[in-house]
Structure formats: structure tokens, C-alpha cells
Amino acid sequence: MPRKIVAGNWKMNGTQAALSELAYIAAAAGDVSCTTILCPPTTLLQAAAQSSGSLAIGGQNCHHEATGAHTGDVSAQMLADVGAQYVIVGHSERSTAYCESDENIADKFNQIKKYNMTPLLCIGENLIEREAGIMEKVVSEQIKTILDLYGQDIFKGSIIAYEPIWAIGSDSAASPDQIQQMCEFIKQLINTNIEDNNDVNIVYGGSVNAKNAVQLCEINGVDGILMGRASLDLNEFYEICNGIHKI
Ligand code: PEP
């Protein structure tokens, strides 16, 4: 069976003092049979990448242009330069706060691929869209923008995170039925649009924790998980990796 993916996003949490926790997660990553990825804040990336062992390190965002007058921003090349192997792109917290369009996200995706890193593309509907029943249309458009601008080959080797916005940071994850339906829909979308589709993994994100992680990973069409809060607690992170390791 292919290895499940366990990805953690520390968001804007963690100073250098957190590096010892990172070392603990890195040690645990070596003992489990999942692909374990941690996306710490940019300030910790280099130190994290230098001591990560089999834990892969990712950035949380990059600019959609290669270089230039963009005060405070970070390019894909800079992330690759300090050892990032993955980059989260299109996270709803970022796209909402910075009014990012699907085109901006597609350009970021392209930058990440250009520097040989793996994009962890977040897609998903908000609550209004879910209640209107247009979630499949929303995710189709998010994927189609990248396909239209950059073609199908760009998806090769990437990870797509289905993250319903209403489940992020909430008390409850989407239901197994909702997750299965959307992950299978996304898989089908990939299969019909991308020839080399075996290489694209679909993970679920939104209120994953130690109690539900294994069950969520066992859903048909789900290749792993992306978690926010649960990745900040190293015991919970370890418990999740260990549980998924036994699937
Ligand atoms: C996220 O922000 O991508 C996320 C999944 O957060 P949480 O696990 O805290 O819901």
C-alpha cells in the first residue's frame, strides 16, 4: 500500500524555542511508514531543514513572481534555497486575507514546480458554497485555472489538499461521506484531465486530530491528512503518525 501523507502546518506559531519540538517530531518521523511533512514559519525553515532527518520540511506560502519589489515577501527560489521540499499554496487563510485570485495561486504553483519542490495545493469551498451545493464547481474551477494556465504536466507529483473552509479551525471535521465524495470527485477530475495521474495525491484537511486521523485516512480516495492545530502539539503529532503507520 502507498505511504500515507501526514502534513502539519504550524501557521504563525513557533520561535527558535520550538526547534527542540521539531527535533522530536523528526525523530518520530523516522520510525513511521508515512511521508511526514512539517511546514514551520519561514523564520525556522532553514534550521528545521538542517535537522529534519526523514521529516520533510515545507514553506507555507511563496510569492507568485520570481523576484522583485515585493517588500516582506518570500519567493519559491528562496524557500528551495534554505531546504524546503514542499510549499503550501492556496491556503484559504492566506487567499482570503490577501485577496488572492485562482490565477495568483496558479502562478505560485508554477513557481514552486520551477524550483523542484512539491506544491501542496489547498482547495475547497466555503460554507455558503457548500450550502448552495456548488462545492464540486468551486474545486473544479480552482484546478482548471492551473490546468488552463500551465497544462496538465505541472500537476505531476503534486499533492492536493481538500480543505472545506468551514471545517478549518472549527470543532468538527467534514463527515466521512462528504470527504469521500469530494476526494473521489477530485481524483476523477485529475484522472480525466491528467495523463500521468498516479503521481497526484489527495489529502484531507480541516479539524483533524488524534481521535479522527486514522478514520479519515482510511476513507476511500484519501491519501493522507493536512493538519493545523494538531501539529502544534508534539504528542498529538506523534500519536497521529503512529496511528496512521499502523493502517
Ligand atoms: C488548516 O488550516 O489547514 C487546518 C487544517 O487547520 P486545523 O487542522 O486547525 O483545522
Side-chain angles (χ1 to χ4, degrees):
M1 195 172 77
R3 287 161 73 92
K4 295 282 183 185
I5 296 164
V6 180
N9 172 10
W10 274 5
K11 307 189 182 183
M12 198 174 71
N13 295 290
T15 57
Q16 291 188 72
L19 288 171
S20 56
E21 300 192 359
L22 207 140
Y24 179 90
I25 299 169
D31 296 336
V32 292
S33 61
C34 9
T35 300
T36 313
I37 306 162
L38 183 71
C39 302
T42 310
T43 49
L44 298 182
L45 259 179
Q46 183 161 25
Q50 280 166 355
S51 58
S52 59
S54 45
L55 173 70
I57 298 297
Q60 297 178 11
N61 173 55
C62 67
H63 198 273
H64 61 273
E65 287 178 14
T67 54
H70 302 294
T71 304
D73 266 310
V74 175
S75 71
Q77 184 183 22
M78 292 167 181
L79 297 176
D81 187 44
V82 294
Q85 295 160 267
Y86 294 80
V87 185
I88 295 174
V89 56
H91 193 285
S92 58
E93 285 161 7
R94 184 106 207 149
S95 53
T96 308
Y98 296 88
C99 304
E100 288 177 345
S101 62
D102 287 348
E103 287 76 15
N104 285 155
I105 292 167
D107 291 344
K108 290 178 182 209
F109 193 102
N110 179 48
Q111 286 293 324
I112 297 163
K113 289 293 288 191
K114 204 164 151 190
Y115 289 97
N116 298 318
M117 296 178 290
T118 302
L120 219 165
L121 172 71
C122 299
I123 60 173
E125 78 286 355
N126 63 31
L127 190 56
I128 295 171
E129 292 160 341
R130 161 69 52 179
E131 285 173 350
I134 56 166
M135 51 277 178
E136 293 182 351
K137 180 170 177 283
V138 171
V139 301
S140 302
E141 277 165 11
Q142 291 167 328
I143 289 181
K144 196 170 175 301
T145 307
I146 301 176
L147 279 171
D148 287 350
L149 286 171
Y150 293 105
Q152 56 165 276
D153 281 357
I154 200 153
F155 273 97
K156 204 170 167 237
S158 64
I159 302 174
I160 299 178
Y162 170 57
E163 293 215 305
I165 297 170
W166 46 272
I168 295 175
S170 75
D171 281 336
S172 48
S175 72
D177 282 353
Q178 289 169 325
I179 296 171
Q180 180 167 347
Q181 186 205 340
M182 288 304 286
C183 289
E184 284 183 348
F185 175 76
I186 294 165
K187 275 231 154 113
Q188 196 190 328
L189 206 64
I190 296 297
N191 288 344
T192 44
N193 285 288
I194 297 166
E195 274 165 32
D196 221 340
N197 51 45
N198 289 334
D199 227 8
V200 182
N201 285 296
I202 317 290
V203 303
Y204 166 78
S207 296
V208 175
N209 55 46
K211 290 201 186 89
N212 62 16
V214 170
Q215 187 202 6
L216 294 172
C217 265
E218 284 176 331
I219 296 172
N220 272 343
V222 174
D223 300 316
I225 48 163
L226 171 60
M227 51 193 178
R229 288 159 296 169
S231 69
L232 287 168
D233 177 332
L234 61 116
N235 291 317
E236 189 162 12
F237 198 120
Y238 178 75
E239 206 183 317
I240 289 170
C241 293
N242 213 24
I244 292 171
H245 165 79
K246 292 181 186 138
I247 291 179

